[in-house]
Amino acid sequence: MTQSQFSKPLIYMLIGSAIILALSLGVRHAFGLYLVPMSHEFGWGHNVFSLAIALQNLIWGAVQPFTGAFADKYGSKIVITVGGILYAIGLLLMSVSSTGFMLNVSVGLILGLALSATSFPVLLSAVGRAAPPEKRSLAMGIASAAGSFGQFIMLPSTLLLLQNIGWSAALIVSAILIAFIVPLAWMLKAPMYVAPNSQTSSSAPTLSFKQILNIAKAHKPFWFLSLGFMVCGFQVVFIGIHLPGYLIDHGFDATTGTVFLALVGLFNIFGTYGAGWLGGKFSKPKLLMGLYALRGIAIIAFLALPLSTWTIYSFGVIMGLLWLSTVPLTNGIVANMFGIRYLSMLSGIVFFTHQVGSFFGGWLGGVNHDMTGNYQAVWMISIALSVLGVLVHFFVDEKAVVHE
C-alpha cells in the first residue's frame, strides 16, 4: 500500500464501519425525540426518561474498556455482531416499556451494552489498526464523518415515523434497521497495518494487558485527555437529549428540534472529516483546545441572542461542526501515545470518562427541568466545562510512550 492510497481491505472496512456507525449512532441520536411523547403518554416527568438515558451512557462507558479489550483479543467482528443483536432486542423492549423500571432495563442496561460494541471505540480502533500511521487520523475521520450521515438521515425519518405510526411502532422499525449491523460486521476484515520492511514488530517484546494498563495509569497526559473527553460527553448528551424539549418549552414545535438535530448530524460529517484531516497535519491537543473554546462561545451566543428559528438552526450548524470532531482527535492521540495493539481497550478507558460526563449531562438536564421548569443551571455548567476542556489540553502531550 502506498502512502497516498488505502488498501482494498481497508476501504471495505471503512464502508462497513461507516454504515454500522450510521445505523448505531443515527438511531441513538434520535432518542431525544421520544422524551416528550413517552413522558406525556405515561405521565412521567422529564427525569424518568432522562435517568434511563443517563444510565445507558454510564453502563456504556463502564463496560467499554472490557468490550474494547475483548475486541483487541478476539477481533471486532464478533463483538459488533453481539452488539447488533443486543441493540435490536433493546429497541424492541423499549417499544413496550410502560414503566420507569422497564425503560431502565431496555434503554439503560441493554442498549448501553449494545452501544459499547457498535460505536466509536470499537469501530474506530479497528480502522486505526488497519490504517498506516500517516493516514490513521484521516481514516478515523472518514469513518466518523460517513457514520455521521446516519444521524442526519435518521432524525427526519424518525420524526415521520413518530407522526404517522407512533413512538412504539417507530422503535420496532428502528430495531429492524439495526439488525443489519449483524451481517455488516463481517466487512471488518482488514489486517493490522505493518510498516514495509519493519523490523521492530518482530523484535520488540509484546506488552501484556496488565503492562499496558500500568503504563497508561502512570501517564498523566492520558488522564488529562480523559478529563477533557468528559466535557464532550456532558455537552453533547445534554444538548442532544434536552434541546428538543427546551425548544418546545419556548413555543417551538417538534419539527424545529428535529431540524436542529438533523443539522447537527449533517454538519457533523464535515466537522469529523475536517478534524481527522487537520489532526494529521497539526497538533491534536491544540485542535481540541480550539474545539472546546468554540463550543463555549457558541453556547453563550445561543443563550444571549433572541431565540428564533434562525438562531436555532445556526446553533445546529455550528454545534454540528464541533459535535464529534473530538472523537478522531482523541482516539488519534491515544494511538500515538500507546500504539494500536490495545487501542480498543485504552480508547474505551478514555471513553468511560466521556460517558460519565454523558450521564450527568443527560440526568441533570431532567432534574434541572423538573425542579425549576428550565435548563438554565445546566447551560451554565456546560459553559464552565468548555473552559475546563480548554485548560486540561494544555497538559496533553501526544508523544509516543509505547513504541511498536
Side-chain angles (χ1 to χ4, degrees):
M1 179 170 57
T2 67
Q3 291 190 351
S4 61
Q5 295 177 332
F6 292 140
S7 67
K8 286 185 179 180
L10 178 55
I11 291 172
Y12 294 143
M13 175 174 277
L14 284 172
I15 293 171
S17 298
I19 299 173
I20 291 169
L21 286 171
L23 289 169
S24 177
L25 299 180
V27 169
R28 178 184 176 273
H29 193 58
F31 280 166
L33 301 181
Y34 292 94
L35 185 152
V36 172
M38 292 186 72
S39 298
H40 283 177
E41 179 165 336
F42 299 113
W44 299 334
H46 284 202
N47 183 48
V48 175
F49 191 92
S50 300
L51 179 60
I53 294 294
L55 286 173
Q56 176 193 106
N57 284 289
L58 191 61
I59 291 168
W60 178 3
V63 301
Q64 189 66 72
F66 303 100
T67 307
F70 195 92
D72 286 333
K73 188 171 184 178
Y74 299 106
S76 301
K77 295 190 293 294
I78 187 171
V79 170
I80 295 166
T81 299
V82 173
I85 294 169
L86 284 175
Y87 206 144
I89 292 171
L91 289 171
L92 291 174
L93 288 177
M94 182 181 174
S95 72
V96 295
S97 293
S98 58
T99 66
F101 175 76
M102 291 178 65
L103 200 66
N104 288 337
V105 171
S106 60
V107 177
L109 177 60
I110 297 176
L111 291 182
L113 293 171
L115 284 162
S116 75
T118 59
S119 57
F120 285 121
V122 170
L123 285 150
L124 291 193
S125 295
V127 170
R129 280 191 292 268
E134 70 277 4
K135 294 292 184 180
R136 187 173 294 146
S137 181
L138 177 60
M140 290 180 174
I142 290 172
S144 301
S148 301
F149 186 68
Q151 299 180 41
F152 171 65
I153 292 296
M154 286 303 299
L155 280 154
S157 302
T158 300
L159 180 62
L160 287 173
L161 290 172
L162 287 168
Q163 291 174 338
N164 289 282
I165 63 176
W167 63 267
S168 183
L171 287 167
I172 294 173
V173 173
S174 297
I176 294 170
L177 290 174
I178 284 295
F180 284 101
I181 287 177
V182 175
L184 286 167
W186 298 94
M187 293 182 68
L188 310 183
K189 296 180 179 180
M192 183 184 295
Y193 176 79
V194 177
N197 303 319
S198 174
Q199 300 297 320
T200 58
S201 294
S202 59
S203 59
T206 300
L207 295 173
S208 67
F209 278 104
K210 183 177 180 180
Q211 288 172 320
I212 198 74
L213 284 172
N214 285 334
I215 292 170
K217 181 180 178 181
H219 191 54
K220 290 182 180 179
F222 178 71
W223 297 109
F224 283 117
L225 180 68
S226 300
L227 184 59
F229 216 27
M230 182 188 71
V231 174
C232 178
F234 186 100
Q235 292 174 332
V236 299
V237 170
F238 166 62
I239 293 172
I241 295 299
H242 292 287
L243 196 83
Y246 173 83
L247 296 177
I248 289 173
D249 287 348
H250 286 78
F252 295 88
D253 58 20
T255 301
T256 306
T258 303
V259 173
F260 167 85
L261 292 176
L263 286 170
V264 169
L266 177 62
F267 283 88
N268 189 32
I269 298 170
F270 304 104
T272 49
Y273 176 82
W277 180 78
L278 289 170
K281 297 179 178 295
F282 303 102
S283 165
K284 296 178 188 67
K286 290 181 180 178
L287 289 171
L288 285 168
M289 288 170 60
L291 285 172
Y292 287 114
L294 289 172
R295 277 193 191 179
I297 293 169
I299 293 171
I300 291 170
F302 176 67
L303 296 176
L305 293 171
L307 199 60
S308 66
T309 53
W310 188 89
T311 58
I312 292 166
Y313 296 157
S314 297
F315 185 53
V317 170
I318 295 169
M319 286 305 299
L321 292 171
L322 306 173
W323 193 249
L324 294 179
S325 301
T326 58
V327 173
L329 296 175
T330 301
N331 280 274
I333 291 173
V334 175
N336 287 350
M337 285 178 173
F338 304 107
I340 58 177
R341 186 175 299 276
Y342 298 120
L343 183 55
S344 294
M345 179 182 66
L346 293 172
S347 294
I349 293 172
V350 177
F351 188 73
F352 171 67
T353 61
H354 180 282
Q355 294 308 93
V356 170
S358 297
F359 173 85
F360 285 106
W363 177 56
L364 290 178
V367 171
N368 186 197
H369 186 273
D370 286 352
M371 291 181 64
T372 66
N374 61 59
Y375 293 101
Q376 193 65 27
V378 185
W379 281 120
M380 295 302 102
I381 293 172
S382 295
I383 293 169
L385 286 175
S386 287
V387 177
L388 177 64
V390 173
L391 294 177
V392 296
H393 285 95
F394 273 114
F395 305 101
V396 175
D397 185 345
E398 60 181 317
K399 291 180 181 178
V401 182
V402 174
H403 298 273
E404 294 184 321

